Amino acid sequence: MTLRTRLLAALVALLVVLGVAGGVVTVLQRDYLYDQLDEQLQLLAEQPGPVMNRLIRNGGQVAAPPAVTLTNMYVGLIRDGELTTLLAPTDDPDLLPAIAPTDRFERPATVGTAGGEAAQVRVMTAVLLNGRVAVFALSTAPADDASNRLVTTLVIVALVVLALLALIAWWVIRLGLRPIRRMTEAADAISSGATDRRIDVAPGPTEAARLGRALNTMIDTSQDAEARMRRFVADASHELRTPLTTLRGYSALHTTQQLDNADVADAMRRINQEASRMTRIVDDLLDLTDMDEHGVTHRAPFDLATALRDLVADLQVVQPDRTITLRCPGQLPVVGDRDRVVQAIAALATNALRHTPEHCAVEVVGIPTPSGGARVEVTDRGPGIAAEHVPHLFERFYRVDRGRVRSAGGNGLGLAIVAGIVSAHGGTCGVESRPGGPTTFWVELP
Ligand SMILES: Nc1ncnc2c1ncn2[C@@H]1O[C@H](COP(=O)(O)OP(=O)(O)OP(=O)(O)O)[C@@H](O)[C@H]1O
Ligand SMILES: [Mg+2]
């Protein structure tokens, strides 16, 4: 059942409840008013003697039993098979109950009238000592009028309530349900190919508007992710195609031409180089997807200061002529996957060695952060990186100088892996660089 149907059903149910309650109240009120009339009739019918004697004797005013006023009362006498009026209500002097002379009413009953303004009366009869029959009647008009007034009031109240509820339902549907229908339509359209379509979100803080905005953001994000994934696959294929082409070229050369030993050795060296390059790319890609999928699994406390000292020593062996300095406290305890963290910092340091001339000094700095983690900075005095490249450096396969760096063996995946490792640790990383240098890559582990 849709929300709209449920809302309407609830409205109808509420109306039914209101109607039943109104009916019950009306019936109870009418019964109460009739009971009051009946009480007066019963008081007279139990002791008709005094009233009848005086009425017959005086033909005028009588002192009625306490609590009974005769102003509205009809009193008649059936004698010789005929009903004679002894006393008529002051406001309805022609009132005449429509009863046959033989009718007897020991309990109060409703009968019609044969004269007067009232349409119905409550009537009781009492047999007098002399065998004649006294008739007492009271018009039901005041009780009926009160009941009718109550019915009218209830109907008006019910109509007003109905109108108000209808208004509220319309408002709820307009504010809450119509936007949901629009969202469903937009979502259907998007899934059937209209990828540019977005949900029209009405301004304001309603739940529907917030849901619409959230859905739009989600669609944007997932389309961005899809586009990124497509670009990534295209880039990866492109990167792998170059070494594959080289491999095919050398193998074709070998089959189609007579090569001397020196040429074969050279071809083999190139084939080996390209195969290693492909292996590196595939390993890096596996590293990246592994990080995306599983994050880091071997978390343990370790001393980052020792790791940094070892790393700087290794780098110094690779480039003995370069000035490489380390600034770090004696101990720098952190929690994480030691191998991955070292891999990330090594990637930054290797970049500094690979992408700057050898006379440029490199400094590695390790400092504890106030939150109990550690920050590592790798600063080089190289020529710096142009501002337009800086925001893209951590993207997969991004290289500032595509041709030159590929020949130097760079795949453009190093920094993407750094970002993956750091975010898997819940940390952050970044770069500050100006043309002319210096360039600082930093990572912060929590
Ligand atoms: N310290 C640096 N100074 C100047 N340019 C840098 C520096 N570090 C990185 N870059 C630039 O950023 C690019 C991306 O670096 P990244 O480490 O991701 O890839 P790479 O070093 O080219 O290849 P690899 O995947 O082997 O690491 C590099 O190609 C280089 O152009
Ligand atoms: Mg690199």
Side-chain angles (χ1 to χ4, degrees):
M1 210 195 280
T2 64
L3 206 54
R4 175 196 291 262
T5 324
R6 265 182 278 175
L7 203 64
L8 289 178
L11 267 184
V12 171
L14 200 66
L15 269 181
V16 169
V17 169
L18 274 182
V20 170
V24 169
V25 167
T26 313
V27 168
L28 286 179
Q29 194 228 24
R30 184 194 296 262
D31 284 355
Y32 172 72
L33 291 175
Y34 275 28
D35 281 350
Q36 281 185 331
L37 296 181
D38 294 350
E39 237 169 65
Q40 297 183 47
L41 293 176
Q42 272 161 344
L43 273 176
L44 283 176
E46 275 165 17
Q47 276 192 311
V51 177
M52 295 309 288
N53 281 343
R54 286 181 205 183
L55 269 179
I56 295 165
R57 207 177 309 133
N58 303 350
Q61 296 307 307
V62 291
V68 180
T69 51
L70 292 178
T71 337
N72 300 322
M73 183 72 70
Y74 169 92
V75 184
L77 188 66
I78 300 177
R79 58 181 157 196
D80 309 330
E82 204 177 312
L83 175 63
T84 322
T85 299
L86 295 184
L87 179 71
T90 32
D91 55 356
D92 193 1
D94 299 327
L95 182 70
L96 187 63
I99 56 171
T102 51
D103 284 346
R104 298 290 177 267
F105 299 98
E106 273 153 29
R107 311 181 139 277
T110 305
V111 298
T113 56
E117 290 167 20
Q120 281 187 327
V121 287
R122 292 291 280 175
V123 70
M124 267 187 91
T125 56
V127 181
L128 300 173
L129 291 177
N130 55 14
R132 293 173 182 173
V133 175
V135 177
F136 303 106
L138 273 171
S139 163
T140 59
D144 292 339
D145 283 353
S147 288
N148 291 343
R149 258 202 310 279
L150 182 67
V151 170
T152 315
T153 313
L154 286 179
V155 167
I156 290 173
V157 167
L159 284 179
V160 169
V161 168
L162 175 67
L164 268 177
L165 286 181
L167 205 70
I168 291 171
W170 172 81
W171 188 62
V172 167
I173 286 173
R174 201 181 81 98
L175 237 78
L177 301 188
R178 202 172 298 168
I180 288 178
R181 203 185 57 212
R182 278 209 308 268
M183 278 177 223
T184 317
E185 279 166 12
D188 285 346
I190 291 167
S191 46
S192 54
T195 46
D196 309 340
R197 174 96 183 260
R198 288 294 176 274
I199 295 158
D200 303 335
V201 182
T206 60
E207 284 82 357
R210 293 218 306 264
L211 178 63
R213 277 193 287 271
L215 279 179
N216 278 344
T217 313
M218 192 190 80
I219 295 164
D220 286 345
T221 316
S222 83
Q223 284 187 0
D224 282 357
E226 204 182 309
R228 258 205 317 277
M229 178 54 74
R230 260 203 301 272
R231 217 165 39 234
F232 174 61
V233 171
D235 287 347
S237 322
H238 180 80
E239 294 298 323
L240 287 170
R241 197 161 57 197
T242 318
L244 278 173
T245 313
T246 316
L247 291 185
R248 287 232 323 269
Y250 279 109
S251 60
L253 199 68
H254 188 258
T255 45
T256 53
Q257 288 182 26
Q258 278 304 98
L259 298 176
D260 61 25
N261 278 351
D263 288 341
V264 170
D266 192 45
M268 282 304 158
R269 188 183 56 80
R270 291 290 297 124
I271 286 173
N272 198 23
Q273 247 177 19
E274 292 304 307
S276 313
R277 203 167 115 66
M278 275 177 16
T279 311
R280 259 201 323 274
I281 294 179
V282 172
D283 284 348
D284 285 354
L285 288 176
L286 286 176
D287 265 0
L288 275 173
T289 46
D290 185 51
M291 209 77 64
D292 278 354
E293 220 174 310
H294 308 295
V296 285
T297 41
H298 314 287
R299 251 170 229 270
F302 68 94
D303 180 21
L304 190 57
T306 316
L308 291 181
R309 277 193 290 275
D310 292 349
L311 175 70
V312 168
D314 294 349
L315 294 174
Q316 198 66 77
V317 172
V318 177
Q319 292 194 358
D321 297 336
R322 197 189 279 263
T323 315
I324 305 174
T325 49
L326 172 66
R327 197 148 53 80
C328 183
Q331 290 209 320
L332 196 51
V334 290
V335 178
D337 184 334
R338 186 182 194 280
D339 291 347
R340 289 296 195 190
V341 171
V342 171
Q343 181 188 357
I345 297 166
L348 298 183
T350 314
N351 277 352
L353 301 197
R354 188 194 277 171
H355 302 299
T356 60
E358 206 165 331
H359 63 267
C360 303
V362 172
E363 186 181 34
V364 178
V365 180
I367 34 177
T369 58
S371 60
R375 179 181 168 99
V376 177
E377 295 176 353
V378 178
T379 305
D380 65 65
R381 302 277 155 192
I385 304 167
E388 79 252 31
H389 297 298
V390 171
H392 304 289
L393 290 178
F394 286 88
E395 288 172 13
R396 294 168 180 192
F397 295 114
Y398 193 87
R399 288 181 303 244
V400 172
D401 182 350
R402 302 212 132 219
R404 188 183 67 81
V405 185
R406 185 179 295 157
S407 64
N411 296 324
L413 285 172
L415 289 177
I417 294 175
V418 171
I421 292 173
V422 171
S423 89
H425 279 84
T428 47
C429 58
V431 53
E432 278 139 41
S433 179
R434 270 174 285 129
T439 301
T440 300
F441 283 88
W442 57 267
V443 302
E444 228 174 89
L445 298 173

